[in-house]
């Protein structure tokens, strides 16, 4: 039966994606200014066994557990979350050009982070401010758009654009009044997106909202297909459109907010990866969502490796994702025999 | 017992103060039995779509009774309703290129909980629906790349996979070419022979004349007539409904002796000029073959 063939091909592809991601994660551990070999990694991760011939320094241990592993895991999580959120928003808004920041989650986070940096708060507070501001922005978008007349989705998008613009104005003003010697560069650097400052605490902070958001999306992924149809069609097929849509928007916002609050603004991932994945496994969210998750994780990890290893000074991640994402996307949409 | 029973249905859109509150539907009553194809005809804006949206549970605030398979429509959940009524919209451009099989599987969504996905049974039903419409070969094709007629058949297959006994079709042939219109309506007609009830609206009185078991004529939201097609679609009524002069061409011996075909409503054209114009610019009306 066609169905069996197709699901076997999908499983095979998913296996390949996962193996690629695993290999990339191992490789990423060894990359960096301070050398850590795979043997070191094995010895450090599996202390029960005797690794007589392998030795490591305390410095290696510190770097592995406090810097490199958190950063690698965070790159995977942020890549996965932004990609899944992008795919989910594309479905909800029935628009292949939707991305995770469509409702203003990123602009809100940027304003929160800029404010925290202006107040000279510590790194954790910048994350907390960014996360809270992002959620607050989306909450306002949802509340205000309920008053909008006409098409519910159009109202949401327009409200999102307006609040985004308000937040951007706020961020610009903070940059204007910020001390150009130390505060302004820090804000600018945050806005460009980077995982350089990720520590285990960030991982602990972001993990819970990410899982809380990913779980409903994973469970509702078949229903997401029906949201791409007209409301009338979805309703008459037995779907509670309003409820499912609300759950999906809140979940996707949660994982977007958790991501950008620790990584800063990283564009393109949420738009490019779902598109690439659609090409590879089709549009069915049963396959699209898990595949976007794995491919997004691998993509951002790859880019982050370039970001921290290519030059002596780190290139901010946001610049690189645009640099790679935009030409790649152009290739994707102009490729022969393709349609968006 | 009838599958669909509508009693004294009235509906008016709530409008701002000052504007008219003329009811869109006014004391409408009719019923539909299993295996029956009921066509609703009437000019644009007469309330066909409003009627369908009421029956599908997409509109609130109507008065009267709507019973589906004996159960009142009001108070049923979306999933309960989806088990008894399916909807076939007009073909429209889709956003994402789902395969035909995925599209048809979406119709089965009311058969499992929100956090689950189609299982073996649903795949079976989708396959059967495609087979019954003779489009199994399309299963893996991209829905967006199909012709309008094929898309419409897929949407009908989706409604069949939903396993509802009543299918509501809002002008299913509106965007189709001549051949596809007749193909789709023939397929719909065959479905009703297996016990499905179909409530369908059409802009073309001939389609109602040829394919429907009964015809409901709507006029200003009121029931104008409800009977066999030939009894409802008289030239007089069609003229009154649509404001154009028509005549009925009945079946009869054609030029070569065979039956010329189904009775059809054809436009009553002004009589052709008796003689060609003197300047010879226009063609003579009866050009010898």
């Amino acid at each position: 039966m066609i169905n069996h063939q197709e699901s076997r091909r999908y499983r095979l592809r998913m296996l390949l994606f996962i193996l690629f991601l695993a290999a990339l994660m191992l490789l990423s551990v060894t990359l960096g200014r301070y050398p850590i070999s795979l043997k070191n990694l094995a010895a450090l991760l599996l202390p029960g066994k005797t690794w007589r011939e392998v030795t490591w320094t305390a410095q290696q241990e510190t770097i592995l557990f406090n810097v490199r592993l958190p950063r690698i895991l965070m790159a995977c999580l942020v890549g996965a979350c932004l990609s899944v959120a992008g795919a989910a928003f594309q479905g909800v808004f029935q628009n292949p050009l939707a991305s995770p920041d469509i409702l203003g989650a990123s602009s809100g986070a940027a304003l929160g982070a800029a404010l925290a940096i202006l107040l000279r708060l510590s790194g954790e507070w910048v994350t907390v401010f960014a996360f809270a501001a992002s959620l607050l922005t989306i909450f306002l978008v949802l509340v205000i758009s309920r008053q909008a007349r006409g098409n519910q989705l159009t109202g949401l998008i327009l409200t999102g654009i307006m609040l985004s613009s308000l937040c951007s104005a706020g961020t610009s003003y903070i940059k204007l009044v910020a001390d150009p010697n130390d505060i302004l560069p820090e804000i600018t650097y945050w806005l460009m997106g980077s995982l350089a400052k990720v520590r285990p605490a960030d991982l602990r902070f972001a993990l819970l909202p990410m899982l809380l958001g990913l779980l409903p999306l994973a469970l509702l992924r078949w229903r997401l297909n029906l949201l791409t149809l007209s409301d009338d069609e979805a309703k008459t097929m037995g779907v509670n459109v309003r409820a499912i849509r609300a759950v999906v928007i809140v979940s996707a916002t949660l994982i977007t907010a958790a991501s950008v609050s620790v990584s800063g603004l990283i564009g393109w991932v949420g738009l490019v990866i779902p598109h690439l994945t659609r090409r590879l496994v089709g549009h069915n969210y049963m396959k699209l969502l898990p595949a976007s998750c794995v491919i997004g994780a691998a993509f951002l990890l790859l880019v982050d490796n370039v970001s921290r290893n290519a030059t002596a000074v780190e290139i901010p991640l946001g610049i690189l994702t645009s640099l790679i994402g935009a030409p790649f996307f152009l290739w994707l949409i102009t490729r022969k025999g393709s349609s968006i | 017992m009838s599958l669909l029973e509508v009693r004294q249905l009235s509906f008016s859109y709530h409008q701002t103060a000052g504007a008219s509150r003329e009811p869109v539907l006014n004391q409408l009553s009719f019923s539909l039995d299993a295996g029956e194809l009921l066509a609703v005809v009437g000019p644009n804006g007469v309330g066909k779509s409003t009627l369908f949206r009421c029956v599908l549970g997409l509109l609130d605030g109507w008065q009267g009774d709507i019973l589906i398979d004996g159960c009142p429509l009001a108070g049923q959940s979306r999933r309960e309703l989806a088990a008894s009524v399916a909807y076939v919209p007009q073909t429209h451009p889709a956003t994402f290129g789902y395969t035909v099989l995925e599209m048809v599987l979406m119709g089965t969504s009311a058969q499992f909980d929100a956090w689950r996905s189609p299982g073996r049974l649903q795949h079976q039903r989708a396959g059967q629906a495609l087979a019954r419409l003779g489009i199994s070969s399309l299963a893996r094709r991209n829905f967006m790349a199909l012709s309008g007629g094929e898309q419409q058949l897929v949407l009908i297959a989706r409604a069949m996979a939903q396993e509802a006994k009543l299918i509501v079709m809002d002008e299913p042939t509106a965007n189709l070419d001549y051949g596809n219109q007749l193909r789709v309506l023939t397929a719909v007609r065959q479905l009703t022979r297996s016990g499905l009830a179909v409530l369908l609206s059409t802009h073309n009185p001939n389609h109602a004349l040829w394919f429907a078991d009964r015809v409901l004529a709507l006029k200003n939201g009121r029931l104008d007539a409800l009977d066999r097609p030939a009894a409802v679609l008289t030239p007089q009524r069609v003229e009154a409904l649509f404001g154009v002069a028509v005549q009925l061409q009945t079946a009869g011996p054609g030029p070569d002796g065979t039956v010329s075909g189904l009775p059809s409503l054809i436009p009553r054209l002004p009589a052709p000029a008796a003689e060609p114009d003197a300047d010879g610019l226009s063609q003579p009306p009866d050009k010898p073959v």
Side-chain angles (χ1 to χ4, degrees):
Chain A
M1 216 178 121
I2 37 172
N3 184 29
H4 283 285
Q5 261 178 34
E6 233 154 56
S7 68
R8 225 178 42 212
R9 215 171 54 192
Y10 162 71
R11 271 184 217 142
L12 195 71
R13 284 190 175 174
M14 269 308 275
L15 190 67
L16 285 177
F17 299 151
I18 290 171
L19 286 178
F20 176 72
L21 176 62
L24 190 66
M25 285 172 85
L26 288 178
L27 175 75
S28 309
V29 172
T30 67
L31 292 175
R33 197 113 16 103
Y34 210 88
I36 297 174
S37 70
L38 284 180
K39 273 184 191 165
N40 289 145
L41 176 73
L44 281 164
L45 285 182
L46 310 165
K49 285 196 182 169
T50 49
W51 302 82
R52 229 170 302 157
E53 69 277 32
V54 185
T55 53
W56 65 88
T57 62
Q59 212 170 2
Q60 276 180 319
E61 192 173 339
T62 314
I63 288 191
L64 180 70
F65 286 112
N66 284 340
V67 182
R68 211 166 284 173
L69 273 186
R71 182 163 181 175
I72 289 169
L73 291 177
M74 190 57 96
C76 292
L77 283 172
V78 169
C81 285
L82 289 179
S83 305
V84 166
F89 277 128
Q90 287 170 10
V92 165
F93 291 108
Q94 302 161 3
N95 185 345
L97 295 178
S99 64
D101 45 12
I102 186 168
L103 291 183
S106 302
S107 315
L111 180 61
L115 190 65
I117 297 171
L118 180 76
L119 299 173
R120 297 180 189 272
L121 298 176
S122 62
E124 303 92 77
W125 282 106
V126 175
T127 305
V128 172
F129 265 59
F131 184 68
S134 180
L135 290 187
L136 182 68
T137 308
I138 300 301
F139 176 74
L140 286 177
V141 169
L142 292 177
V143 169
I144 295 173
S145 69
R146 284 181 72 93
Q147 312 297 322
R149 269 175 291 170
N151 186 316
Q152 196 201 1
L153 290 178
T154 317
L156 258 176
I157 292 180
L158 288 177
T159 315
I161 292 173
M162 292 312 137
L163 282 198
S164 266
S165 153
L166 274 180
C167 289
S168 302
T171 310
S172 295
Y173 184 73
I174 289 178
K175 282 165 84 175
L176 181 74
V177 299
D179 184 342
N181 291 317
D182 53 347
I183 300 291
L184 183 59
E186 205 183 326
I187 294 177
T188 309
Y189 194 73
W190 193 93
L191 291 178
M192 287 189 284
S194 170
L195 292 170
K197 288 182 183 163
V198 168
R199 295 292 174 270
D202 295 309
L203 211 53
R204 280 196 293 274
F205 175 82
L207 202 58
L208 185 67
M210 282 178 173
L211 292 180
L212 273 180
L214 284 173
L215 186 72
L217 291 178
L219 287 174
L220 293 175
R221 61 193 203 275
W222 172 260
R223 287 288 197 267
L224 255 168
N225 289 322
L226 286 102
L227 291 188
T228 69
L229 306 172
S230 71
D231 279 17
D232 285 357
E233 285 175 274
K235 283 177 185 169
T236 53
M237 282 187 245
V239 176
N240 192 338
V241 175
R242 258 178 186 276
I244 303 267
R245 187 180 282 154
V247 172
V248 170
I249 288 178
V250 168
S251 306
T253 298
L254 202 57
I255 60 179
T256 307
S259 299
V260 294
S261 61
V262 290
S263 70
L265 301 191
I266 296 176
W268 286 99
V269 179
L271 177 63
V272 174
I273 298 302
H275 269 279
L276 172 70
T277 313
R278 285 177 193 279
R279 297 295 158 84
L280 295 172
V281 301
H283 297 272
N284 184 351
Y285 277 89
M286 289 304 291
K287 303 170 183 173
L288 178 64
L289 229 49
S292 291
C293 196
V294 178
I295 294 175
F299 175 77
L300 204 65
L301 182 56
L302 193 71
V303 177
D304 190 47
N305 282 338
V306 176
S307 156
R308 66 191 173 96
N309 292 303
T311 58
V313 182
E314 275 220 23
I315 312 166
L317 201 50
I319 295 183
L320 275 180
T321 51
S322 300
L323 208 62
I324 299 170
F328 179 69
F329 193 69
L330 286 178
W331 171 76
L332 213 57
I333 60 174
T334 53
R335 215 171 47 142
K336 222 177 161 187
S338 64
S339 62
I340 297 176
Chain B
M1 189 177 56
S2 24
L3 258 180
L4 170 66
E5 194 161 347
V6 173
R7 288 191 215 131
Q8 306 286 310
L9 178 67
S10 297
F11 179 85
S12 59
Y13 287 100
H14 295 282
Q15 282 166 335
T16 45
S20 72
R21 265 200 174 186
E22 190 120 329
V24 183
L25 297 174
N26 201 341
Q27 304 282 315
L28 194 61
S29 298
F30 67 92
S31 67
L32 177 58
D33 290 325
E36 196 180 20
L37 201 170
L38 178 64
V40 181
V41 298
N44 284 336
V46 79
K48 298 194 293 285
S49 291
T50 306
L51 167 63
F52 285 11
R53 290 175 61 79
C54 285
V55 170
L56 287 164
L58 293 172
L59 275 181
D60 290 328
W62 42 267
Q63 280 130 35
D65 290 304
I66 300 177
L67 300 170
I68 291 169
D69 215 1
C71 301
L73 178 135
Q76 288 196 44
S77 74
R78 288 252 167 263
R79 268 181 76 181
E80 287 165 339
L81 207 54
S84 40
V85 193
Y87 171 53
V88 175
Q90 295 175 21
T91 56
H92 55 83
T95 315
F96 298 109
Y98 285 101
T99 67
V100 166
L101 183 63
E102 286 163 353
M103 205 70 178
V104 175
L105 277 172
M106 286 191 212
T108 66
S109 296
Q111 297 160 17
F112 45 85
D113 291 320
W115 58 87
R116 294 181 187 277
S117 58
R120 186 190 292 269
L121 180 65
Q122 280 74 37
H123 278 90
Q124 224 170 45
R125 285 175 177 162
Q128 280 167 2
L130 287 170
R132 274 178 65 190
L133 288 169
I135 50 172
S136 299
S137 59
L138 300 181
R140 293 180 68 176
R141 296 265 304 276
N142 179 347
F143 178 78
M144 285 162 89
L146 302 180
S147 74
E150 288 168 334
Q151 286 186 348
Q152 196 66 65
L153 288 176
V154 172
L155 295 183
I156 293 172
R158 188 177 73 184
M160 287 164 64
Q162 193 170 330
E163 300 263 297
K165 292 178 196 151
L166 169 65
I167 301 184
V168 176
M169 303 188 183
D170 196 1
E171 287 164 25
T173 56
N175 300 326
L176 304 184
D177 67 37
Y178 181 73
N180 279 324
Q181 288 181 356
L182 299 187
R183 259 190 290 280
V184 165
L185 288 172
T186 307
V188 171
R189 167 100 186 155
Q190 254 152 27
L191 291 185
T192 59
R193 294 298 158 263
S194 61
L196 280 173
V198 173
L199 181 66
L200 165 152
S201 65
T202 175
H203 273 314
N204 190 333
N206 277 329
H207 289 167
L209 204 54
W210 299 335
F211 293 100
D213 294 308
R214 282 190 303 156
V215 173
L216 192 165
L218 269 183
K219 194 177 181 186
N220 298 327
R222 285 176 185 277
L223 190 135
D224 189 43
L226 172 62
D227 205 339
R228 289 173 300 104
V232 173
L233 293 165
T234 57
Q236 294 76 20
R237 183 169 282 113
V238 170
E239 198 168 333
L241 282 176
F242 294 97
V244 288
V246 294
Q247 62 193 44
L248 189 72
Q249 193 178 53
T250 48
D256 52 355
T258 59
V259 175
S260 70
L262 296 162
S264 310
L265 290 159
I266 59 169
R268 210 161 62 217
L269 296 170
E275 278 176 38
D277 291 342
D279 56 17
L281 278 175
S282 59
Q283 294 283 329
D286 287 313
K287 206 175 161 187
V289 183

